[in-house]
Amino acid sequence: MTLLLTHYRANLLNMAKLSIKGLIESALSFGRTLDSDYPPLQQFFVVMEHCLKHGLRVKKSFLGYNKSLWGPLEMVEKLCPEAGEIAASVRDLPGLKTPLGRARAWLRLALMQKRLADYLRLLITRKDLLSDFYENSAVMVEEEGAVIVGLLVGLNVIDANLCVKGEDLDTQVTAILDQKNYVEELNRQLNSSVHGLQGRVDNLEKSNSKLIEELAIAKNNIIKLQEENHQLRNENTIILMKAQQQLEVTQVDVDVELDTYKKSRQGLDEMYNEARRQLREECQLRQDVENELVVQVSMKQEMDLAMKLLEKDIHEKQDTLIGLRHQLDEVKAINVEMYSKMQTSDDGMKQKNDMITRLEEKTNQITATMKQLEQSDKDLLSQTRTLAMSFVKCASADTEHQYKLVKDISF
Protein backbone atom coordinates (compact mmCIF):
# COMPACT_ATOMS: atom_id res chain seq x y z
CA MET A 1 0.00 0.00 0.00
CA THR A 2 2.81 2.39 0.86
CA LEU A 3 4.54 1.61 -2.45
CA LEU A 4 1.28 2.27 -4.33
CA LEU A 5 0.81 5.64 -2.61
CA THR A 6 4.40 6.60 -3.34
CA HIS A 7 3.93 5.65 -7.00
CA TYR A 8 0.70 7.66 -7.21
CA ARG A 9 2.41 10.73 -5.67
CA ALA A 10 5.27 10.37 -8.15
CA ASN A 11 2.74 10.26 -11.04
CA LEU A 12 1.03 13.40 -9.76
CA LEU A 13 4.41 15.12 -9.43
CA ASN A 14 5.36 14.18 -13.00
CA MET A 15 1.99 15.43 -14.29
CA ALA A 16 2.48 18.70 -12.39
CA LYS A 17 5.99 19.11 -13.82
CA LEU A 18 4.77 18.53 -17.40
CA SER A 19 1.74 20.78 -16.94
CA ILE A 20 3.72 23.68 -15.43
CA LYS A 21 6.55 23.34 -17.94
CA GLY A 22 4.15 23.19 -20.90
CA LEU A 23 2.17 26.16 -19.58
CA ILE A 24 5.27 28.35 -19.16
CA GLU A 25 6.73 27.44 -22.57
CA SER A 26 3.44 27.90 -24.43
CA ALA A 27 2.66 31.15 -22.59
CA LEU A 28 6.06 32.63 -23.47
CA SER A 29 5.64 31.66 -27.12
CA PHE A 30 2.01 32.91 -27.07
CA GLY A 31 3.33 36.36 -26.19
CA ARG A 32 0.22 37.93 -24.63
CA THR A 33 -2.08 37.76 -21.60
CA LEU A 34 -3.75 34.39 -21.07
CA ASP A 35 -7.51 33.97 -20.68
CA SER A 36 -9.76 31.25 -19.29
CA ASP A 37 -10.07 29.46 -22.64
CA TYR A 38 -6.32 28.80 -22.98
CA PRO A 39 -6.05 24.95 -23.01
CA PRO A 40 -2.66 24.60 -21.23
CA LEU A 41 -3.99 26.85 -18.47
CA GLN A 42 -7.14 24.73 -18.13
CA GLN A 43 -5.02 21.57 -17.93
CA PHE A 44 -2.86 23.21 -15.24
CA PHE A 45 -5.85 23.98 -13.00
CA VAL A 46 -7.20 20.42 -13.35
CA VAL A 47 -3.77 18.95 -12.42
CA MET A 48 -3.47 21.33 -9.43
CA GLU A 49 -6.98 20.32 -8.35
CA HIS A 50 -5.97 16.63 -8.40
CA CYS A 51 -2.78 17.41 -6.43
CA LEU A 52 -4.67 19.40 -3.79
CA LYS A 53 -7.39 16.76 -3.52
CA HIS A 54 -4.94 13.93 -2.94
CA GLY A 55 -5.16 12.62 0.59
CA LEU A 56 -7.97 14.94 1.74
CA ARG A 57 -9.73 13.74 4.84
CA VAL A 58 -13.43 12.95 4.49
CA LYS A 59 -15.59 15.51 6.31
CA LYS A 60 -18.99 14.52 7.64
CA SER A 61 -21.83 17.01 7.19
CA PHE A 62 -25.62 16.96 7.39
CA LEU A 63 -25.65 16.15 3.68
CA GLY A 64 -23.29 13.19 4.04
CA TYR A 65 -19.55 12.69 3.56
CA ASN A 66 -17.50 14.92 1.20
CA LYS A 67 -13.95 16.11 0.47
CA SER A 68 -13.51 19.88 0.19
CA LEU A 69 -10.49 21.89 -1.06
CA TRP A 70 -11.88 25.07 0.33
CA GLY A 71 -10.99 24.22 3.93
CA PRO A 72 -7.16 24.26 3.65
CA LEU A 73 -7.15 27.14 1.14
CA GLU A 74 -9.37 29.22 3.41
CA MET A 75 -6.74 28.78 6.17
CA VAL A 76 -4.18 30.76 4.13
CA GLU A 77 -5.73 34.10 5.07
CA LYS A 78 -4.97 33.31 8.72
CA LEU A 79 -1.30 32.73 7.83
CA CYS A 80 -1.00 35.70 5.47
CA PRO A 81 -3.26 38.75 5.90
CA GLU A 82 -2.69 39.68 2.24
CA ALA A 83 -4.63 36.58 1.22
CA GLY A 84 -7.71 37.87 3.00
CA GLU A 85 -8.59 40.01 -0.02
CA ILE A 86 -8.79 36.91 -2.24
CA ALA A 87 -10.86 34.98 0.30
CA ALA A 88 -13.29 37.89 0.67
CA SER A 89 -13.60 38.21 -3.12
CA VAL A 90 -14.35 34.48 -3.39
CA ARG A 91 -17.03 34.68 -0.73
CA ASP A 92 -18.65 37.67 -2.49
CA LEU A 93 -18.76 36.07 -5.95
CA PRO A 94 -22.36 35.64 -7.11
CA GLY A 95 -23.45 32.18 -8.09
CA LEU A 96 -20.83 30.25 -6.09
CA LYS A 97 -22.64 27.60 -4.13
CA THR A 98 -20.12 24.81 -3.54
CA PRO A 99 -16.79 24.71 -1.61
CA LEU A 100 -15.15 23.22 -4.70
CA GLY A 101 -16.22 26.25 -6.75
CA ARG A 102 -14.77 28.59 -4.12
CA ALA A 103 -11.49 26.64 -4.16
CA ARG A 104 -11.29 26.87 -7.97
CA ALA A 105 -11.98 30.61 -7.85
CA TRP A 106 -9.30 31.05 -5.16
CA LEU A 107 -6.67 29.27 -7.31
CA ARG A 108 -7.45 31.50 -10.32
CA LEU A 109 -7.35 34.74 -8.32
CA ALA A 110 -4.06 33.74 -6.64
CA LEU A 111 -2.54 32.98 -10.06
CA MET A 112 -3.61 36.37 -11.43
CA GLN A 113 -2.13 37.99 -8.31
CA LYS A 114 1.15 36.02 -8.90
CA ARG A 115 1.13 34.87 -5.28
CA LEU A 116 -0.01 31.25 -5.72
CA ALA A 117 3.44 29.81 -4.90
CA ASP A 118 3.83 32.09 -1.86
CA TYR A 119 0.42 31.21 -0.38
CA LEU A 120 0.84 27.45 -0.85
CA ARG A 121 4.38 27.59 0.60
CA LEU A 122 2.97 29.14 3.78
CA LEU A 123 0.33 26.42 3.90
CA ILE A 124 2.67 23.40 3.52
CA THR A 125 5.05 24.70 6.20
CA ARG A 126 2.27 24.40 8.78
CA LYS A 127 2.06 20.63 9.15
CA ASP A 128 0.01 21.05 12.30
CA LEU A 129 -2.78 22.77 10.35
CA LEU A 130 -2.55 20.46 7.32
CA SER A 131 -3.04 17.40 9.52
CA ASP A 132 -6.65 18.52 10.10
CA PHE A 133 -7.39 18.36 6.37
CA TYR A 134 -4.95 15.81 4.87
CA GLU A 135 -3.82 12.28 5.53
CA ASN A 136 -0.15 11.75 6.39
CA SER A 137 0.48 10.29 2.91
CA ALA A 138 -1.03 13.23 0.99
CA VAL A 139 0.98 14.98 -1.71
CA MET A 140 0.80 18.36 0.05
CA VAL A 141 2.17 16.83 3.25
CA GLU A 142 5.02 14.83 1.72
CA GLU A 143 8.12 16.08 -0.11
CA GLU A 144 6.32 16.12 -3.48
CA GLY A 145 4.22 19.04 -2.25
CA ALA A 146 7.32 21.16 -1.59
CA VAL A 147 8.63 20.31 -5.09
CA ILE A 148 5.33 21.31 -6.73
CA VAL A 149 5.25 24.60 -4.80
CA GLY A 150 8.81 25.29 -5.93
CA LEU A 151 7.77 24.70 -9.55
CA LEU A 152 4.87 27.16 -9.16
CA VAL A 153 7.35 30.04 -8.73
CA GLY A 154 8.01 29.91 -12.48
CA LEU A 155 4.35 30.88 -13.14
CA ASN A 156 5.10 34.41 -11.90
CA VAL A 157 6.28 35.25 -15.44
CA ILE A 158 2.78 34.61 -16.80
CA ASP A 159 0.16 37.34 -17.11
CA ALA A 160 -3.40 36.01 -16.90
CA ASN A 161 -6.82 37.70 -17.04
CA LEU A 162 -9.35 35.05 -16.06
CA CYS A 163 -13.14 35.29 -16.01
CA VAL A 164 -14.40 33.91 -12.71
CA LYS A 165 -18.10 32.90 -12.84
CA GLY A 166 -19.76 31.00 -10.06
CA GLU A 167 -21.96 28.75 -12.19
CA ASP A 168 -18.97 27.63 -14.34
CA LEU A 169 -16.77 26.81 -11.34
CA ASP A 170 -19.37 24.87 -9.40
CA THR A 171 -19.86 22.30 -12.18
CA GLN A 172 -17.47 19.41 -12.76
CA VAL A 173 -14.99 20.26 -15.51
CA THR A 174 -13.89 16.81 -16.51
CA ALA A 175 -14.50 17.67 -20.14
CA ILE A 176 -11.97 20.52 -19.95
CA LEU A 177 -9.03 18.17 -19.65
CA ASP A 178 -8.52 16.04 -22.72
CA GLN A 179 -7.17 13.16 -20.68
CA LYS A 180 -6.54 10.96 -23.68
CA ASN A 181 -4.37 13.54 -25.46
CA TYR A 182 -2.69 14.48 -22.20
CA VAL A 183 -1.89 10.86 -21.38
CA GLU A 184 -0.72 10.26 -24.96
CA GLU A 185 1.57 13.29 -24.70
CA LEU A 186 2.84 12.06 -21.36
CA ASN A 187 3.32 8.58 -22.86
CA ARG A 188 5.15 10.04 -25.85
CA GLN A 189 7.53 11.95 -23.59
CA LEU A 190 8.02 8.89 -21.42
CA ASN A 191 8.72 6.74 -24.50
CA SER A 192 11.22 9.32 -25.68
CA SER A 193 12.84 9.22 -22.27
CA VAL A 194 12.81 5.40 -22.36
CA HIS A 195 14.47 5.36 -25.80
CA GLY A 196 17.05 7.80 -24.57
CA LEU A 197 17.65 5.76 -21.47
CA GLN A 198 17.83 2.56 -23.56
CA GLY A 199 20.49 4.14 -25.73
CA ARG A 200 22.38 5.17 -22.64
CA VAL A 201 22.01 1.63 -21.26
CA ASP A 202 23.44 0.18 -24.49
CA ASN A 203 26.33 2.62 -24.34
CA LEU A 204 26.84 1.77 -20.69
CA GLU A 205 26.84 -1.96 -21.50
CA LYS A 206 29.47 -1.40 -24.17
CA SER A 207 31.44 0.75 -21.80
CA ASN A 208 30.94 -1.90 -19.12
CA SER A 209 32.38 -4.60 -21.40
CA LYS A 210 35.36 -2.44 -22.13
CA LEU A 211 35.72 -1.67 -18.46
CA ILE A 212 35.57 -5.40 -17.62
CA GLU A 213 38.36 -6.09 -20.10
CA GLU A 214 40.34 -3.15 -18.77
CA LEU A 215 39.63 -4.37 -15.24
CA ALA A 216 41.03 -7.83 -16.08
CA ILE A 217 44.11 -6.20 -17.59
CA ALA A 218 44.34 -3.94 -14.56
CA LYS A 219 44.09 -6.92 -12.22
CA ASN A 220 46.93 -8.66 -14.06
CA ASN A 221 48.93 -5.47 -13.86
CA ILE A 222 48.11 -5.20 -10.18
CA ILE A 223 49.34 -8.78 -9.60
CA LYS A 224 52.58 -7.97 -11.44
CA LEU A 225 52.92 -4.74 -9.54
CA GLN A 226 52.32 -6.54 -6.25
CA GLU A 227 55.06 -9.04 -7.11
CA GLU A 228 57.36 -6.19 -8.07
CA ASN A 229 56.35 -4.38 -4.91
CA HIS A 230 57.16 -7.45 -2.81
CA GLN A 231 60.53 -7.76 -4.50
CA LEU A 232 61.18 -4.07 -4.04
CA ARG A 233 60.19 -4.34 -0.39
CA ASN A 234 62.74 -7.12 0.10
CA GLU A 235 65.41 -5.12 -1.68
CA ASN A 236 64.40 -2.09 0.31
CA THR A 237 64.76 -4.07 3.56
CA ILE A 238 68.27 -5.16 2.57
CA ILE A 239 69.21 -1.62 1.54
CA LEU A 240 67.73 -0.29 4.79
CA MET A 241 69.81 -2.73 6.86
CA LYS A 242 72.97 -1.77 5.00
CA ALA A 243 72.12 1.90 5.33
CA GLN A 244 71.48 1.42 9.05
CA GLN A 245 74.87 -0.21 9.51
CA GLN A 246 76.56 2.51 7.50
CA LEU A 247 74.61 5.09 9.46
CA GLU A 248 75.88 3.66 12.73
CA VAL A 249 79.48 3.80 11.49
CA THR A 250 78.93 7.29 10.19
CA GLN A 251 77.36 8.30 13.50
CA VAL A 252 80.51 7.23 15.36
CA ASP A 253 82.64 9.29 12.95
CA VAL A 254 80.30 12.21 13.34
CA ASP A 255 80.53 12.01 17.13
CA VAL A 256 84.34 12.02 16.95
CA GLU A 257 84.31 14.93 14.54
CA LEU A 258 81.81 16.72 16.74
CA ASP A 259 84.07 16.37 19.78
CA THR A 260 87.02 17.62 17.73
CA TYR A 261 84.93 20.50 16.46
CA LYS A 262 83.83 21.43 19.98
CA LYS A 263 87.44 21.47 21.17
CA SER A 264 88.54 23.46 18.13
CA ARG A 265 85.62 25.76 18.64
CA GLN A 266 86.61 26.33 22.25
CA GLY A 267 90.20 27.20 21.20
CA LEU A 268 88.87 29.46 18.45
CA ASP A 269 86.56 31.17 20.94
CA GLU A 270 89.51 31.83 23.24
CA MET A 271 91.58 33.17 20.33
CA TYR A 272 88.62 35.27 19.25
CA ASN A 273 88.16 36.72 22.74
CA GLU A 274 91.91 37.46 22.97
CA ALA A 275 91.85 39.11 19.55
CA ARG A 276 88.84 41.18 20.58
CA ARG A 277 90.64 42.25 23.76
CA GLN A 278 93.74 43.22 21.78
CA LEU A 279 91.57 45.04 19.28
CA ARG A 280 89.93 47.02 22.06
CA GLU A 281 93.36 47.87 23.50
CA GLU A 282 94.67 48.88 20.07
CA CYS A 283 91.57 50.99 19.49
CA GLN A 284 92.04 52.66 22.88
CA LEU A 285 95.74 53.22 22.15
CA ARG A 286 94.90 54.64 18.75
CA GLN A 287 92.34 56.94 20.35
CA ASP A 288 94.95 58.11 22.88
CA VAL A 289 97.48 58.69 20.08
CA GLU A 290 94.92 60.61 18.08
CA ASN A 291 94.09 62.74 21.13
CA GLU A 292 97.82 63.34 21.75
CA LEU A 293 98.24 64.23 18.08
CA VAL A 294 95.43 66.75 18.34
CA VAL A 295 97.16 68.27 21.39
CA GLN A 296 100.52 68.36 19.57
CA VAL A 297 98.95 69.93 16.50
CA SER A 298 97.39 72.56 18.75
CA MET A 299 100.76 73.18 20.46
CA LYS A 300 102.47 73.37 17.07
CA GLN A 301 100.00 75.97 15.93
CA GLU A 302 100.61 77.95 19.13
CA MET A 303 104.41 77.63 18.65
CA ASP A 304 104.13 78.77 15.05
CA LEU A 305 102.17 81.78 16.18
CA ALA A 306 104.71 82.52 18.98
CA MET A 307 107.64 82.11 16.55
CA LYS A 308 106.04 84.50 14.10
CA LEU A 309 105.49 87.06 16.89
CA LEU A 310 109.12 86.64 18.09
CA GLU A 311 110.49 86.95 14.56
CA LYS A 312 108.44 90.10 14.05
CA ASP A 313 109.68 91.55 17.37
CA ILE A 314 113.32 90.63 16.55
CA HIS A 315 113.07 92.20 13.12
CA GLU A 316 111.61 95.36 14.61
CA LYS A 317 114.41 95.54 17.21
CA GLN A 318 117.06 94.83 14.60
CA ASP A 319 115.69 97.68 12.50
CA THR A 320 115.82 99.92 15.58
CA LEU A 321 119.38 98.81 16.36
CA ILE A 322 120.47 99.48 12.78
CA GLY A 323 118.90 102.94 13.00
CA LEU A 324 120.70 103.63 16.26
CA ARG A 325 124.02 102.47 14.80
CA HIS A 326 123.53 104.85 11.88
CA GLN A 327 122.83 107.62 14.34
CA LEU A 328 125.95 106.61 16.34
CA ASP A 329 128.06 106.70 13.19
CA GLU A 330 126.69 110.13 12.35
CA VAL A 331 127.43 111.35 15.87
CA LYS A 332 130.94 109.98 15.69
CA ALA A 333 131.45 111.69 12.36
CA ILE A 334 130.14 114.92 13.76
CA ASN A 335 132.35 114.48 16.81
CA VAL A 336 135.40 113.92 14.67
CA GLU A 337 134.51 116.92 12.54
CA MET A 338 133.93 119.02 15.61
CA TYR A 339 137.14 117.83 17.10
CA SER A 340 138.96 118.83 13.98
CA LYS A 341 137.29 122.23 13.98
CA MET A 342 138.15 122.61 17.68
CA GLN A 343 141.77 122.32 16.97
CA THR A 344 141.55 124.91 14.23
CA SER A 345 139.35 127.34 16.04
CA ASP A 346 140.22 128.50 19.50
CA ASP A 347 137.58 131.10 19.61
CA GLY A 348 134.76 128.62 19.60
CA MET A 349 136.60 126.32 21.94
CA LYS A 350 134.29 126.76 24.80
CA GLN A 351 131.22 126.45 22.71
CA LYS A 352 132.63 123.37 21.07
CA ASN A 353 133.54 121.87 24.42
CA ASP A 354 129.96 122.27 25.51
CA MET A 355 128.78 120.76 22.32
CA ILE A 356 131.24 117.93 22.68
CA THR A 357 130.06 117.34 26.22
CA ARG A 358 126.45 117.15 25.04
CA LEU A 359 127.43 114.90 22.20
CA GLU A 360 129.38 112.65 24.54
CA GLU A 361 126.36 112.41 26.84
CA LYS A 362 124.15 111.61 23.87
CA THR A 363 126.68 109.07 22.71
CA ASN A 364 126.75 107.46 26.14
CA GLN A 365 122.95 107.32 26.13
CA ILE A 366 122.88 105.76 22.69
CA THR A 367 125.57 103.25 23.74
CA ALA A 368 123.60 102.32 26.84
CA THR A 369 120.44 101.93 24.74
CA MET A 370 122.30 99.72 22.29
CA LYS A 371 123.59 97.55 25.13
CA GLN A 372 120.08 97.22 26.49
CA LEU A 373 118.78 96.27 23.02
CA GLU A 374 121.56 93.73 22.59
CA GLN A 375 120.81 92.24 26.01
CA SER A 376 117.09 92.13 25.12
CA ASP A 377 117.97 90.40 21.85
CA LYS A 378 119.98 87.83 23.75
CA ASP A 379 117.09 87.21 26.18
CA LEU A 380 114.59 86.83 23.31
CA LEU A 381 116.93 84.47 21.48
CA SER A 382 117.31 82.36 24.62
CA GLN A 383 113.50 82.19 25.10
CA THR A 384 113.04 81.26 21.44
CA ARG A 385 115.55 78.45 21.68
CA THR A 386 113.87 77.13 24.85
CA LEU A 387 110.43 77.13 23.16
CA ALA A 388 111.86 75.45 20.07
CA MET A 389 113.47 72.68 22.07
CA SER A 390 110.21 72.08 23.96
CA PHE A 391 108.33 71.81 20.68
CA VAL A 392 110.98 69.39 19.35
CA LYS A 393 110.48 67.13 22.36
CA CYS A 394 106.64 67.20 21.94
CA ALA A 395 106.64 66.50 18.22
CA SER A 396 109.55 64.16 17.50
CA ALA A 397 107.94 63.08 14.17
CA ASP A 398 108.80 66.51 12.75
CA THR A 399 112.46 66.52 13.90
CA GLU A 400 114.05 67.67 10.70
CA HIS A 401 111.67 70.60 10.36
CA GLN A 402 112.21 71.61 14.02
CA TYR A 403 115.98 71.42 13.67
CA LYS A 404 115.84 73.66 10.62
CA LEU A 405 113.59 76.06 12.49
CA VAL A 406 115.95 76.20 15.48
CA LYS A 407 118.89 76.65 13.16
CA ASP A 408 117.15 79.51 11.39
CA ILE A 409 116.29 81.15 14.69
CA SER A 410 119.83 80.87 15.99
CA PHE A 411 121.11 82.61 12.79
Side-chain angles (χ1 to χ4, degrees), residues 214-232:
E214 293 178 357
L215 180 60
I217 296 172
K219 286 182 178 179
N220 294 329
N221 292 332
I222 289 172
I223 294 172
K224 292 180 180 179
L225 290 174
Q226 287 177 349
E227 293 176 355
E228 293 179 359
N229 188 21
H230 182 69
Q231 184 178 358
L232 290 173

Side-chain angles (χ1 to χ4, degrees), residues 53-94:
K53 280 183 178 180
H54 181 262
L56 272 175
R57 293 182 183 274
V58 178
K59 296 291 184 178
K60 184 178 180 181
S61 66
F62 65 93
L63 297 177
Y65 295 93
N66 64 346
K67 295 182 179 180
S68 176
L69 290 177
W70 178 239
L73 297 180
E74 192 178 15
M75 290 294 297
V76 175
E77 66 176 328
K78 296 181 180 180
L79 302 177
C80 180
E82 297 178 2
E85 182 180 352
I86 296 178
S89 300
V90 169
R91 295 188 189 97
D92 295 338
L93 280 176

Side-chain angles (χ1 to χ4, degrees), residues 32-51:
R32 60 176 184 268
T33 304
L34 306 181
D35 55 18
S36 300
D37 297 330
Y38 192 63
L41 187 60
Q42 294 175 353
Q43 293 177 358
F44 164 73
F45 283 122
V46 173
V47 173
M48 282 302 302
E49 186 175 330
H50 281 287
C51 291

Side-chain angles (χ1 to χ4, degrees), residues 290-342:
E290 289 179 352
N291 294 334
E292 184 67 23
L293 179 61
V294 171
V295 174
Q296 291 180 1
V297 169
S298 177
M299 292 178 62
K300 181 180 179 181
Q301 292 176 352
E302 293 177 358
M303 286 295 299
D304 291 339
L305 180 60
M307 291 297 295
K308 290 179 180 179
L309 293 175
L310 288 173
E311 288 177 358
K312 182 179 179 181
D313 192 11
I314 290 170
H315 288 308
E316 289 177 354
K317 289 184 177 181
Q318 286 179 349
D319 294 337
T320 303
L321 182 60
I322 291 171
L324 290 173
R325 286 178 178 175
H326 285 302
Q327 291 179 6
L328 180 59
D329 293 337
E330 291 176 357
V331 169
K332 288 180 178 180
I334 294 171
N335 191 16
V336 170
E337 182 180 359
M338 291 301 296
Y339 185 76
S340 299
K341 290 180 178 181
M342 183 185 62

